[in-house]
Amino acid sequence: LGNEPAPHSSLAHFRCVVEHEVRLLSPNSGSLDDDLLQALAEAINRFNNCVSQAGELREYRDSNTGEIIAFAQEAAKGRVSRGQWFYASDAAAKQYVWFHSVQEIVGRSIENPDIDIVDLGPSGTDAFSELKAKYGFASVNDWHTVADYRGRFKYENGDEGPSWKQLDPPDWLFEKKRGPFG
């Protein structure tokens, strides 16, 4: 914490992000050079965002080599557990690691009496929204009225982060409506 580097700020983690972005963006333009540059630029941006945000890291490693093949970053705040980031190498994608990651965050959330909602984050594509829906996750446009993020960040070891109450959504978003006009 503080001046320490993020635990997932290694080259191995960055490679997962790059492979993930190349796999997602490759079919978009037809030009491998354009796709690769776009994917690399996106990977750098996403990696910088990922290592600078709160959350707990879940690593997935190859059972034979010990190499990092995927990682998920989860954050619990208020009454929500959020699958903040998920990046996987090509090998992990073929092993359906994302599904295990979702199963685990849902399982931990069910066991935690302080959590009401699992937020898998924005989908980015209709295909990903459809995949989430296939497994029971609704795509919610006005998520801020459903996912109650009011409160401190919470960690699995029982620690809580500082209060950033000024950044919490307003209480009126979660008040029960009294009629058709509020």
Side-chain angles (χ1 to χ4, degrees):
L1 296 177
N3 293 328
E4 296 294 317
H8 53 309
S9 60
S10 74
L11 182 57
H13 293 90
F14 181 64
R15 283 185 180 139
C16 282
V17 177
V18 170
E19 284 187 43
H20 188 91
E21 291 303 317
V22 168
R23 189 173 55 256
L24 292 180
L25 294 175
S26 311
N28 289 344
S29 76
S31 166
L32 182 58
D33 292 341
D34 289 345
D35 290 340
L36 186 59
L37 288 176
Q38 181 184 359
L40 186 57
E42 189 65 30
I44 290 168
N45 182 42
R46 290 181 178 272
F47 186 72
N48 281 331
N49 287 335
C50 180
V51 298
S52 66
Q53 295 193 1
E56 294 187 278
L57 187 66
R58 312 283 178 193
E59 289 182 336
Y60 294 87
R61 294 179 177 265
D62 181 282
S63 59
N64 296 320
T65 66
E67 176 183 334
I68 296 169
I69 59 169
F71 68 94
Q73 185 178 1
E74 301 170 5
K77 186 175 187 314
R79 302 204 53 84
V80 180
S81 187
R82 166 117 186 223
Q84 191 113 314
W85 304 99
F86 179 82
Y87 295 109
S89 67
D90 294 341
K94 292 174 186 166
Q95 296 175 44
Y96 303 101
V97 174
W98 179 77
F99 292 97
H100 183 266
S101 166
V102 171
Q103 179 183 352
E104 290 297 302
I105 192 173
V106 168
R108 281 189 295 279
S109 298
I110 289 170
E111 292 176 10
N112 186 335
D114 295 331
I115 300 295
D116 295 328
I117 297 283
V118 174
D119 179 355
L120 295 181
S123 296
T125 65
D126 289 340
F128 199 58
S129 290
E130 290 169 13
L131 177 65
K132 288 179 184 178
K134 182 177 178 180
Y135 293 97
F137 289 89
S139 186
V140 179
N141 289 331
D142 56 348
W143 58 267
H144 57 280
T145 63
V146 177
D148 187 353
Y149 279 98
R150 294 173 297 173
R152 297 173 183 260
F153 282 100
K154 301 170 189 168
Y155 299 94
E156 200 169 39
N157 66 4
D159 289 349
E160 290 189 356
S163 173
W164 292 345
K165 187 159 181 58
Q166 68 274 17
L167 300 177
D168 283 351
D171 293 340
W172 60 264
L173 280 176
F174 301 97
E175 293 173 0
K176 194 167 184 128
K177 303 264 186 213
R178 292 182 295 277
F181 303 106

mmCIF file of all heavy atoms in Angstrom, residues 60-98:
data_model
loop_
_atom_site.group_PDB
_atom_site.id
_atom_site.type_symbol
_atom_site.label_atom_id
_atom_site.label_comp_id
_atom_site.label_asym_id
_atom_site.label_seq_id
_atom_site.Cartn_x
_atom_site.Cartn_y
_atom_site.Cartn_z
ATOM 1 N N TYR A 60 -4.709 -16.551 -11.981
ATOM 2 C CA TYR A 60 -4.855 -17.900 -12.503
ATOM 3 C C TYR A 60 -3.535 -18.260 -13.177
ATOM 4 O O TYR A 60 -3.033 -17.511 -13.998
ATOM 5 C CB TYR A 60 -6.017 -17.970 -13.507
ATOM 6 C CG TYR A 60 -7.339 -17.712 -12.837
ATOM 7 C CD1 TYR A 60 -7.820 -16.414 -12.670
ATOM 8 C CD2 TYR A 60 -8.101 -18.759 -12.341
ATOM 9 C CE1 TYR A 60 -9.022 -16.170 -12.031
ATOM 10 C CE2 TYR A 60 -9.306 -18.517 -11.697
ATOM 11 C CZ TYR A 60 -9.756 -17.232 -11.550
ATOM 12 O OH TYR A 60 -10.948 -16.995 -10.912
ATOM 13 N N ARG A 61 -2.994 -19.414 -12.793
ATOM 14 C CA ARG A 61 -1.686 -19.839 -13.299
ATOM 15 C C ARG A 61 -1.792 -21.189 -13.986
ATOM 16 O O ARG A 61 -2.610 -22.024 -13.606
ATOM 17 C CB ARG A 61 -0.676 -19.920 -12.159
ATOM 18 C CG ARG A 61 -0.375 -18.558 -11.554
ATOM 19 C CD ARG A 61 0.617 -18.662 -10.399
ATOM 20 N NE ARG A 61 0.938 -17.352 -9.887
ATOM 21 C CZ ARG A 61 1.983 -16.637 -10.252
ATOM 22 N NH1 ARG A 61 2.843 -17.124 -11.126
ATOM 23 N NH2 ARG A 61 2.203 -15.436 -9.749
ATOM 24 N N ASP A 62 -0.938 -21.388 -14.960
ATOM 25 C CA ASP A 62 -0.833 -22.674 -15.634
ATOM 26 C C ASP A 62 -0.333 -23.691 -14.617
ATOM 27 O O ASP A 62 0.677 -23.451 -13.938
ATOM 28 C CB ASP A 62 0.145 -22.562 -16.810
ATOM 29 C CG ASP A 62 0.270 -23.856 -17.571
ATOM 30 O OD1 ASP A 62 0.993 -24.758 -17.073
ATOM 31 O OD2 ASP A 62 -0.320 -23.966 -18.651
ATOM 32 N N SER A 63 -1.018 -24.820 -14.498
ATOM 33 C CA SER A 63 -0.661 -25.817 -13.479
ATOM 34 C C SER A 63 0.682 -26.484 -13.743
ATOM 35 O O SER A 63 1.302 -27.003 -12.827
ATOM 36 C CB SER A 63 -1.759 -26.872 -13.343
ATOM 37 O OG SER A 63 -1.949 -27.516 -14.583
ATOM 38 N N ASN A 64 1.151 -26.474 -14.978
ATOM 39 C CA ASN A 64 2.442 -27.092 -15.298
ATOM 40 C C ASN A 64 3.611 -26.127 -15.178
ATOM 41 O O ASN A 64 4.667 -26.483 -14.672
ATOM 42 C CB ASN A 64 2.424 -27.676 -16.720
ATOM 43 C CG ASN A 64 1.424 -28.803 -16.841
ATOM 44 O OD1 ASN A 64 1.283 -29.625 -15.948
ATOM 45 N ND2 ASN A 64 0.701 -28.825 -17.944
ATOM 46 N N THR A 65 3.423 -24.892 -15.640
ATOM 47 C CA THR A 65 4.547 -23.952 -15.697
ATOM 48 C C THR A 65 4.524 -22.902 -14.598
ATOM 49 O O THR A 65 5.537 -22.259 -14.332
ATOM 50 C CB THR A 65 4.563 -23.208 -17.049
ATOM 51 O OG1 THR A 65 3.397 -22.375 -17.126
ATOM 52 C CG2 THR A 65 4.611 -24.179 -18.215
ATOM 53 N N GLY A 66 3.373 -22.694 -13.978
ATOM 54 C CA GLY A 66 3.242 -21.648 -12.975
ATOM 55 C C GLY A 66 3.071 -20.263 -13.582
ATOM 56 O O GLY A 66 2.932 -19.267 -12.872
ATOM 57 N N GLU A 67 3.050 -20.188 -14.916
ATOM 58 C CA GLU A 67 2.927 -18.912 -15.623
ATOM 59 C C GLU A 67 1.534 -18.324 -15.396
ATOM 60 O O GLU A 67 0.527 -19.030 -15.385
ATOM 61 C CB GLU A 67 3.155 -19.163 -17.113
ATOM 62 C CG GLU A 67 2.967 -17.949 -17.989
ATOM 63 C CD GLU A 67 3.134 -18.286 -19.463
ATOM 64 O OE1 GLU A 67 3.835 -19.262 -19.800
ATOM 65 O OE2 GLU A 67 2.539 -17.576 -20.277
ATOM 66 N N ILE A 68 1.477 -17.002 -15.225
ATOM 67 C CA ILE A 68 0.195 -16.309 -15.077
ATOM 68 C C ILE A 68 -0.516 -16.330 -16.429
ATOM 69 O O ILE A 68 0.030 -15.879 -17.427
ATOM 70 C CB ILE A 68 0.402 -14.860 -14.611
ATOM 71 C CG1 ILE A 68 1.020 -14.850 -13.213
ATOM 72 C CG2 ILE A 68 -0.916 -14.083 -14.631
ATOM 73 C CD1 ILE A 68 1.516 -13.504 -12.768
ATOM 74 N N ILE A 69 -1.722 -16.892 -16.442
ATOM 75 C CA ILE A 69 -2.483 -16.958 -17.696
ATOM 76 C C ILE A 69 -3.715 -16.045 -17.666
ATOM 77 O O ILE A 69 -4.297 -15.775 -18.708
ATOM 78 C CB ILE A 69 -2.890 -18.402 -18.046
ATOM 79 C CG1 ILE A 69 -3.746 -19.023 -16.956
ATOM 80 C CG2 ILE A 69 -1.650 -19.249 -18.342
ATOM 81 C CD1 ILE A 69 -4.389 -20.337 -17.334
ATOM 82 N N ALA A 70 -4.091 -15.594 -16.476
ATOM 83 C CA ALA A 70 -5.231 -14.688 -16.357
ATOM 84 C C ALA A 70 -5.225 -14.060 -14.973
ATOM 85 O O ALA A 70 -4.620 -14.595 -14.041
ATOM 86 C CB ALA A 70 -6.551 -15.430 -16.574
ATOM 87 N N PHE A 71 -5.913 -12.933 -14.874
ATOM 88 C CA PHE A 71 -6.144 -12.368 -13.550
ATOM 89 C C PHE A 71 -7.441 -11.587 -13.551
ATOM 90 O O PHE A 71 -7.881 -11.061 -14.567
ATOM 91 C CB PHE A 71 -4.970 -11.504 -13.069
ATOM 92 C CG PHE A 71 -4.745 -10.223 -13.822
ATOM 93 C CD1 PHE A 71 -5.294 -9.034 -13.370
ATOM 94 C CD2 PHE A 71 -3.961 -10.199 -14.959
ATOM 95 C CE1 PHE A 71 -5.079 -7.846 -14.050
ATOM 96 C CE2 PHE A 71 -3.723 -9.013 -15.640
ATOM 97 C CZ PHE A 71 -4.285 -7.837 -15.187
ATOM 98 N N ALA A 72 -8.049 -11.588 -12.395
ATOM 99 C CA ALA A 72 -9.270 -10.829 -12.167
ATOM 100 C C ALA A 72 -9.002 -9.886 -11.010
ATOM 101 O O ALA A 72 -8.254 -10.226 -10.095
ATOM 102 C CB ALA A 72 -10.429 -11.766 -11.827
ATOM 103 N N GLN A 73 -9.594 -8.732 -11.078
ATOM 104 C CA GLN A 73 -9.495 -7.778 -9.978
ATOM 105 C C GLN A 73 -10.911 -7.494 -9.523
ATOM 106 O O GLN A 73 -11.753 -7.102 -10.333
ATOM 107 C CB GLN A 73 -8.795 -6.511 -10.434
ATOM 108 C CG GLN A 73 -8.549 -5.531 -9.323
ATOM 109 C CD GLN A 73 -7.804 -4.306 -9.819
ATOM 110 O OE1 GLN A 73 -7.486 -4.187 -10.986
ATOM 111 N NE2 GLN A 73 -7.529 -3.393 -8.922
ATOM 112 N N GLU A 74 -11.165 -7.718 -8.257
ATOM 113 C CA GLU A 74 -12.497 -7.532 -7.706
ATOM 114 C C GLU A 74 -12.458 -6.432 -6.657
ATOM 115 O O GLU A 74 -11.477 -6.317 -5.923
ATOM 116 C CB GLU A 74 -12.989 -8.819 -7.056
ATOM 117 C CG GLU A 74 -13.053 -9.984 -8.005
ATOM 118 C CD GLU A 74 -13.304 -11.312 -7.298
ATOM 119 O OE1 GLU A 74 -13.522 -11.306 -6.066
ATOM 120 O OE2 GLU A 74 -13.268 -12.342 -7.967
ATOM 121 N N ALA A 75 -13.519 -5.667 -6.592
ATOM 122 C CA ALA A 75 -13.644 -4.630 -5.573
ATOM 123 C C ALA A 75 -15.009 -4.758 -4.921
ATOM 124 O O ALA A 75 -16.020 -4.919 -5.607
ATOM 125 C CB ALA A 75 -13.476 -3.252 -6.189
ATOM 126 N N ALA A 76 -15.034 -4.696 -3.598
ATOM 127 C CA ALA A 76 -16.286 -4.676 -2.850
ATOM 128 C C ALA A 76 -16.418 -3.293 -2.222
ATOM 129 O O ALA A 76 -15.513 -2.819 -1.539
ATOM 130 C CB ALA A 76 -16.301 -5.757 -1.781
ATOM 131 N N LYS A 77 -17.537 -2.636 -2.507
ATOM 132 C CA LYS A 77 -17.792 -1.315 -1.955
ATOM 133 C C LYS A 77 -19.277 -1.196 -1.707
ATOM 134 O O LYS A 77 -20.087 -1.549 -2.561
ATOM 135 C CB LYS A 77 -17.323 -0.223 -2.911
ATOM 136 C CG LYS A 77 -17.435 1.189 -2.319
ATOM 137 C CD LYS A 77 -16.844 2.225 -3.251
ATOM 138 C CE LYS A 77 -16.775 3.604 -2.642
ATOM 139 N NZ LYS A 77 -17.933 4.081 -1.954
ATOM 140 N N GLY A 78 -19.617 -0.707 -0.531
ATOM 141 C CA GLY A 78 -21.031 -0.619 -0.179
ATOM 142 C C GLY A 78 -21.630 -2.020 -0.144
ATOM 143 O O GLY A 78 -21.089 -2.919 0.481
ATOM 144 N N ARG A 79 -22.709 -2.219 -0.897
ATOM 145 C CA ARG A 79 -23.391 -3.522 -0.914
ATOM 146 C C ARG A 79 -23.145 -4.257 -2.229
ATOM 147 O O ARG A 79 -23.908 -5.136 -2.614
ATOM 148 C CB ARG A 79 -24.884 -3.319 -0.669
ATOM 149 C CG ARG A 79 -25.117 -2.593 0.678
ATOM 150 C CD ARG A 79 -26.441 -2.821 1.293
ATOM 151 N NE ARG A 79 -26.823 -4.189 1.466
ATOM 152 C CZ ARG A 79 -26.489 -4.986 2.498
ATOM 153 N NH1 ARG A 79 -25.706 -4.552 3.443
ATOM 154 N NH2 ARG A 79 -26.935 -6.211 2.566
ATOM 155 N N VAL A 80 -22.053 -3.880 -2.916
ATOM 156 C CA VAL A 80 -21.764 -4.408 -4.250
ATOM 157 C C VAL A 80 -20.387 -5.059 -4.295
ATOM 158 O O VAL A 80 -19.422 -4.552 -3.739
ATOM 159 C CB VAL A 80 -21.809 -3.275 -5.304
ATOM 160 C CG1 VAL A 80 -21.520 -3.807 -6.699
ATOM 161 C CG2 VAL A 80 -23.145 -2.551 -5.266
ATOM 162 N N SER A 81 -20.335 -6.183 -4.991
ATOM 163 C CA SER A 81 -19.054 -6.799 -5.333
ATOM 164 C C SER A 81 -18.918 -6.663 -6.840
ATOM 165 O O SER A 81 -19.791 -7.079 -7.594
ATOM 166 C CB SER A 81 -19.051 -8.271 -4.916
ATOM 167 O OG SER A 81 -17.776 -8.821 -5.108
ATOM 168 N N ARG A 82 -17.825 -6.050 -7.264
ATOM 169 C CA ARG A 82 -17.654 -5.746 -8.687
ATOM 170 C C ARG A 82 -16.487 -6.506 -9.272
ATOM 171 O O ARG A 82 -15.379 -6.472 -8.739
ATOM 172 C CB ARG A 82 -17.408 -4.251 -8.867
ATOM 173 C CG ARG A 82 -16.899 -3.892 -10.258
ATOM 174 C CD ARG A 82 -17.831 -3.016 -10.984
ATOM 175 N NE ARG A 82 -17.386 -2.796 -12.350
ATOM 176 C CZ ARG A 82 -17.407 -1.638 -12.937
ATOM 177 N NH1 ARG A 82 -17.819 -0.579 -12.285
ATOM 178 N NH2 ARG A 82 -17.027 -1.525 -14.175
ATOM 179 N N GLY A 83 -16.763 -7.195 -10.364
ATOM 180 C CA GLY A 83 -15.699 -7.796 -11.146
ATOM 181 C C GLY A 83 -15.059 -6.690 -11.956
ATOM 182 O O GLY A 83 -15.495 -6.386 -13.070
ATOM 183 N N GLN A 84 -14.069 -6.057 -11.360
ATOM 184 C CA GLN A 84 -13.520 -4.824 -11.902
ATOM 185 C C GLN A 84 -12.812 -5.035 -13.240
ATOM 186 O O GLN A 84 -13.043 -4.318 -14.184
ATOM 187 C CB GLN A 84 -12.542 -4.266 -10.865
ATOM 188 C CG GLN A 84 -12.087 -2.890 -11.145
ATOM 189 C CD GLN A 84 -12.610 -1.937 -10.116
ATOM 190 O OE1 GLN A 84 -13.769 -1.971 -9.762
ATOM 191 N NE2 GLN A 84 -11.781 -1.065 -9.649
ATOM 192 N N TRP A 85 -11.910 -5.960 -13.299
ATOM 193 C CA TRP A 85 -11.127 -6.230 -14.506
ATOM 194 C C TRP A 85 -10.975 -7.729 -14.668
ATOM 195 O O TRP A 85 -10.904 -8.450 -13.680
ATOM 196 C CB TRP A 85 -9.730 -5.623 -14.404
ATOM 197 C CG TRP A 85 -9.710 -4.178 -14.131
ATOM 198 C CD1 TRP A 85 -9.520 -3.583 -12.909
ATOM 199 C CD2 TRP A 85 -9.877 -3.107 -15.055
ATOM 200 N NE1 TRP A 85 -9.564 -2.228 -13.040
ATOM 201 C CE2 TRP A 85 -9.774 -1.908 -14.349
ATOM 202 C CE3 TRP A 85 -10.097 -3.061 -16.428
ATOM 203 C CZ2 TRP A 85 -9.887 -0.671 -14.952
ATOM 204 C CZ3 TRP A 85 -10.201 -1.826 -17.026
ATOM 205 C CH2 TRP A 85 -10.101 -0.651 -16.299
ATOM 206 N N PHE A 86 -10.880 -8.174 -15.887
ATOM 207 C CA PHE A 86 -10.518 -9.564 -16.148
ATOM 208 C C PHE A 86 -9.727 -9.586 -17.442
ATOM 209 O O PHE A 86 -10.197 -9.107 -18.477
ATOM 210 C CB PHE A 86 -11.736 -10.474 -16.284
ATOM 211 C CG PHE A 86 -11.344 -11.887 -16.583
ATOM 212 C CD1 PHE A 86 -10.964 -12.739 -15.552
ATOM 213 C CD2 PHE A 86 -11.292 -12.354 -17.883
ATOM 214 C CE1 PHE A 86 -10.544 -14.030 -15.825
ATOM 215 C CE2 PHE A 86 -10.875 -13.651 -18.154
ATOM 216 C CZ PHE A 86 -10.510 -14.483 -17.122
ATOM 217 N N TYR A 87 -8.529 -10.130 -17.370
ATOM 218 C CA TYR A 87 -7.677 -10.251 -18.549
ATOM 219 C C TYR A 87 -7.109 -11.659 -18.605
ATOM 220 O O TYR A 87 -6.705 -12.210 -17.582
ATOM 221 C CB TYR A 87 -6.535 -9.235 -18.510
ATOM 222 C CG TYR A 87 -7.040 -7.832 -18.598
ATOM 223 C CD1 TYR A 87 -7.009 -6.988 -17.514
ATOM 224 C CD2 TYR A 87 -7.598 -7.366 -19.787
ATOM 225 C CE1 TYR A 87 -7.505 -5.698 -17.605
ATOM 226 C CE2 TYR A 87 -8.095 -6.079 -19.883
ATOM 227 C CZ TYR A 87 -8.041 -5.247 -18.789
ATOM 228 O OH TYR A 87 -8.538 -3.978 -18.890
ATOM 229 N N ALA A 88 -7.084 -12.221 -19.814
ATOM 230 C CA ALA A 88 -6.619 -13.594 -19.965
ATOM 231 C C ALA A 88 -5.767 -13.745 -21.207
ATOM 232 O O ALA A 88 -6.021 -13.117 -22.234
ATOM 233 C CB ALA A 88 -7.816 -14.536 -20.064
ATOM 234 N N SER A 89 -4.796 -14.619 -21.084
ATOM 235 C CA SER A 89 -3.998 -14.984 -22.246
ATOM 236 C C SER A 89 -4.864 -15.833 -23.180
ATOM 237 O O SER A 89 -5.960 -16.264 -22.824
ATOM 238 C CB SER A 89 -2.774 -15.786 -21.804
ATOM 239 O OG SER A 89 -3.197 -17.040 -21.286
ATOM 240 N N ASP A 90 -4.350 -16.104 -24.373
ATOM 241 C CA ASP A 90 -5.081 -16.966 -25.302
ATOM 242 C C ASP A 90 -5.315 -18.348 -24.697
ATOM 243 O O ASP A 90 -6.386 -18.928 -24.852
ATOM 244 C CB ASP A 90 -4.311 -17.090 -26.623
ATOM 245 C CG ASP A 90 -4.246 -15.762 -27.379
ATOM 246 O OD1 ASP A 90 -5.061 -14.864 -27.094
ATOM 247 O OD2 ASP A 90 -3.369 -15.638 -28.253
ATOM 248 N N ALA A 91 -4.308 -18.867 -23.983
ATOM 249 C CA ALA A 91 -4.434 -20.192 -23.350
ATOM 250 C C ALA A 91 -5.566 -20.210 -22.331
ATOM 251 O O ALA A 91 -6.352 -21.152 -22.267
ATOM 252 C CB ALA A 91 -3.119 -20.587 -22.691
ATOM 253 N N ALA A 92 -5.673 -19.163 -21.534
ATOM 254 C CA ALA A 92 -6.726 -19.101 -20.517
ATOM 255 C C ALA A 92 -8.103 -18.988 -21.156
ATOM 256 O O ALA A 92 -9.075 -19.564 -20.665
ATOM 257 C CB ALA A 92 -6.484 -17.930 -19.584
ATOM 258 N N ALA A 93 -8.192 -18.248 -22.251
ATOM 259 C CA ALA A 93 -9.477 -18.107 -22.936
ATOM 260 C C ALA A 93 -9.988 -19.462 -23.401
ATOM 261 O O ALA A 93 -11.182 -19.745 -23.329
ATOM 262 C CB ALA A 93 -9.337 -17.144 -24.110
ATOM 263 N N LYS A 94 -9.085 -20.317 -23.861
ATOM 264 C CA LYS A 94 -9.468 -21.654 -24.323
ATOM 265 C C LYS A 94 -9.857 -22.569 -23.168
ATOM 266 O O LYS A 94 -10.493 -23.598 -23.378
ATOM 267 C CB LYS A 94 -8.322 -22.283 -25.116
ATOM 268 C CG LYS A 94 -8.068 -21.566 -26.431
ATOM 269 C CD LYS A 94 -6.843 -22.113 -27.133
ATOM 270 C CE LYS A 94 -6.537 -21.287 -28.368
ATOM 271 N NZ LYS A 94 -5.212 -21.545 -28.909
ATOM 272 N N GLN A 95 -9.468 -22.192 -21.946
ATOM 273 C CA GLN A 95 -9.801 -22.993 -20.770
ATOM 274 C C GLN A 95 -11.000 -22.430 -20.005
ATOM 275 O O GLN A 95 -11.313 -22.902 -18.916
ATOM 276 C CB GLN A 95 -8.585 -23.070 -19.837
ATOM 277 C CG GLN A 95 -7.406 -23.780 -20.463
ATOM 278 C CD GLN A 95 -6.189 -23.727 -19.564
ATOM 279 O OE1 GLN A 95 -6.278 -23.941 -18.356
ATOM 280 N NE2 GLN A 95 -5.039 -23.439 -20.141
ATOM 281 N N TYR A 96 -11.649 -21.424 -20.556
ATOM 282 C CA TYR A 96 -12.853 -20.828 -19.971
ATOM 283 C C TYR A 96 -12.632 -20.303 -18.557
ATOM 284 O O TYR A 96 -13.484 -20.423 -17.687
ATOM 285 C CB TYR A 96 -14.019 -21.831 -20.005
ATOM 286 C CG TYR A 96 -14.320 -22.322 -21.389
ATOM 287 C CD1 TYR A 96 -13.880 -23.572 -21.820
ATOM 288 C CD2 TYR A 96 -15.006 -21.524 -22.292
ATOM 289 C CE1 TYR A 96 -14.132 -24.012 -23.108
ATOM 290 C CE2 TYR A 96 -15.266 -21.954 -23.579
ATOM 291 C CZ TYR A 96 -14.827 -23.196 -23.977
ATOM 292 O OH TYR A 96 -15.080 -23.626 -25.251
ATOM 293 N N VAL A 97 -11.492 -19.685 -18.323
ATOM 294 C CA VAL A 97 -11.156 -19.173 -16.993
ATOM 295 C C VAL A 97 -12.134 -18.085 -16.552
ATOM 296 O O VAL A 97 -12.462 -17.982 -15.370
ATOM 297 C CB VAL A 97 -9.693 -18.676 -16.961
ATOM 298 C CG1 VAL A 97 -9.364 -18.015 -15.639
ATOM 299 C CG2 VAL A 97 -8.736 -19.830 -17.223
ATOM 300 N N TRP A 98 -12.639 -17.272 -17.495
ATOM 301 C CA TRP A 98 -13.580 -16.219 -17.123
ATOM 302 C C TRP A 98 -14.788 -16.792 -16.387
ATOM 303 O O TRP A 98 -15.250 -16.229 -15.403
ATOM 304 C CB TRP A 98 -14.050 -15.442 -18.367
ATOM 305 C CG TRP A 98 -15.051 -14.365 -18.029
ATOM 306 C CD1 TRP A 98 -14.796 -13.149 -17.477
ATOM 307 C CD2 TRP A 98 -16.469 -14.438 -18.200
ATOM 308 N NE1 TRP A 98 -15.967 -12.439 -17.302
ATOM 309 C CE2 TRP A 98 -17.013 -13.212 -17.743
ATOM 310 C CE3 TRP A 98 -17.340 -15.408 -18.698
ATOM 311 C CZ2 TRP A 98 -18.375 -12.933 -17.771
ATOM 312 C CZ3 TRP A 98 -18.699 -15.125 -18.732
ATOM 313 C CH2 TRP A 98 -19.203 -13.917 -18.268
#
